[in-house]
Amino acid sequence: MGGNNKSQQQGKDCVQGSISLRSVEWNCLGQGIETYRTGSGEYALYIITKGRGSITAGGIEYAAAEGNVLAVFPETDVKAAGNAQNLFYYIRLCSCGAQVAECAREAGFFEDAPYHLVNGMAELIKTVRSMLESEGDGYVECLEQSCRITKIWIDLIEDHRYSKGQLPYAAGNDRLKKMQEIAAYMKKHMEQNLKVEQIAKKYGMNRSGLTRQFRSAIGCPPQQYLLQVRLDRAKELLRDTEYTIGEVAARVGYRDALAFSHIFKEKCRMGPREYRKSCIKK
């Protein structure tokens, strides 16, 4: 394990108070394994910033990819694992307090669905950097860190509401708004045969410019974003409807059900039929 690594402890009581920061670390894994266990009342956010790996929480393994966030609930064992192909970077951000459970729910994190793609990754990383650069553990510094972790949760809540169409585009510069508009377009039209070149042309850009700006604003390249929203929607359809595998595939942009099943199994560590059965058991 390597890379930036800083931990801050702010009190032992995770029941009283609103929201407080327990610790923040920025980790880098190659083929290594990093383990952690959340304490009583403690919620850990695993924010994947680069590379690919896996995170196992509560006995369930998640394929970790850039731009995703996993919420780990209290008193849960966690294992993050890298691979030999590339380095795997992630932030582990732990917070506690009486309001954190409600924040997790409002941000769309539930124990049976704790993992999803986040649009505003660049803003989350910016806030985490300010946490890591903070010096001192005095009263004022602790207040500042509490404000920062509160901002993280607010940003996640707004991102979730925005993804559900409950909020207009987030405030920001024109470039950020444009990338958010493109992300919304891709999500709305995921069932179509979308090509990055065509999307770039639609918005008056070239492929490389779109990819660079999209990664900076959203936290991952457009191809990866499209894949993730398709997989997230496929999981919803498999879990909540009786559509056949072929119908699910078509509704998320795959004309070939076998190709869809192959990609689903590769990214989700189980085939669509297995996933549907696992949801029924729960």
Side-chain angles (χ1 to χ4, degrees):
M1 185 168 65
N4 291 331
N5 183 5
K6 181 180 180 181
S7 177
Q8 298 183 11
Q9 300 294 331
Q10 295 202 334
K12 299 179 180 179
D13 191 349
C14 282
V15 178
Q16 298 178 353
S18 52
I19 303 175
S20 62
L21 176 68
R22 285 293 301 274
S23 64
V24 55
E25 296 183 1
W26 203 325
N27 294 312
C28 172
L29 291 175
Q31 292 180 280
I33 293 175
E34 190 264 352
T35 60
Y36 188 79
R37 179 175 175 81
T38 52
S40 175
E42 177 185 1
Y43 287 73
L45 293 172
Y46 280 74
I47 304 170
I48 295 84
T49 60
K50 188 177 180 181
R52 308 186 72 85
S54 68
I55 300 177
T56 302
I60 300 175
E61 183 178 286
Y62 301 89
E66 182 177 331
N68 286 276
V69 175
L70 169 68
V72 181
F73 286 68
E75 300 181 83
T76 301
D77 291 313
V78 193
K79 180 180 71 175
N83 57 62
Q85 282 68 45
N86 56 25
L87 294 178
F88 170 38
Y89 296 83
Y90 67 91
I91 296 162
R92 187 180 69 225
L93 186 64
C94 301
S95 58
C96 59
Q99 294 181 343
V100 179
E102 184 177 356
C103 286
R105 289 193 298 270
E106 289 294 320
F109 294 112
F110 300 92
E111 291 194 65
D112 60 347
Y115 187 62
H116 55 70
L117 186 69
V118 170
N119 292 319
M121 183 62 65
E123 189 64 25
L124 294 183
I125 292 175
K126 180 181 177 181
T127 305
V128 170
R129 286 190 186 279
S130 66
M131 288 178 170
L132 292 168
E133 292 168 359
S134 176
E135 297 182 357
D137 56 358
Y139 181 72
V140 172
E141 289 78 12
C142 289
L143 284 178
E144 289 176 341
Q145 293 291 57
S146 293
C147 290
R148 291 181 182 117
I149 185 60
T150 300
K151 182 180 186 303
I152 290 282
W153 280 112
I154 290 173
D155 287 346
L156 288 171
I157 291 169
E158 290 186 345
D159 188 276
H160 178 65
R161 291 178 178 176
Y162 165 70
S163 70
K164 296 296 184 182
Q166 298 172 355
L167 284 179
Y169 295 133
N173 58 42
D174 292 340
R175 181 177 297 178
L176 175 60
K177 288 182 179 180
K178 188 173 185 178
M179 293 304 106
Q180 290 175 330
E181 182 180 348
I182 292 173
Y185 174 84
M186 294 169 69
K187 189 170 186 177
K188 182 177 181 181
H189 299 280
M190 71 173 75
E191 78 284 356
Q192 299 179 10
N193 184 26
L194 297 177
K195 302 292 185 184
V196 176
E197 293 86 350
Q198 296 172 345
I199 296 171
K201 185 177 180 180
K202 173 181 173 64
Y203 287 90
M205 306 175 69
N206 58 41
R207 180 190 175 98
S208 61
L210 171 60
T211 299
R212 183 178 63 255
Q213 292 185 33
F214 196 94
R215 181 193 291 273
S216 175
I218 305 302
C220 64
Q223 302 97 316
Q224 184 178 322
Y225 175 84
L226 180 60
L227 173 61
Q228 190 62 52
V229 296
R230 281 172 166 168
L231 290 175
D232 287 346
R233 179 58 177 158
K235 288 178 181 179
E236 290 180 6
L237 294 174
L238 290 167
R239 184 175 63 245
D240 301 332
T241 75
E242 296 182 357
Y243 291 138
T244 66
I245 303 302
E247 289 172 331
V248 171
R251 287 174 179 270
V252 296
Y254 293 93
R255 300 294 173 261
D256 186 336
L258 288 177
F260 162 73
S261 296
H262 176 76
I263 293 172
F264 190 97
K265 185 173 183 178
E266 179 184 353
K267 302 301 180 182
C268 303
R269 306 296 177 92
M270 65 176 69
R273 286 186 175 83
E274 293 175 274
Y275 179 81
R276 173 171 274 169
K277 289 179 181 178
S278 71
C279 293
I280 293 174
K281 290 179 181 179
K282 293 178 182 179

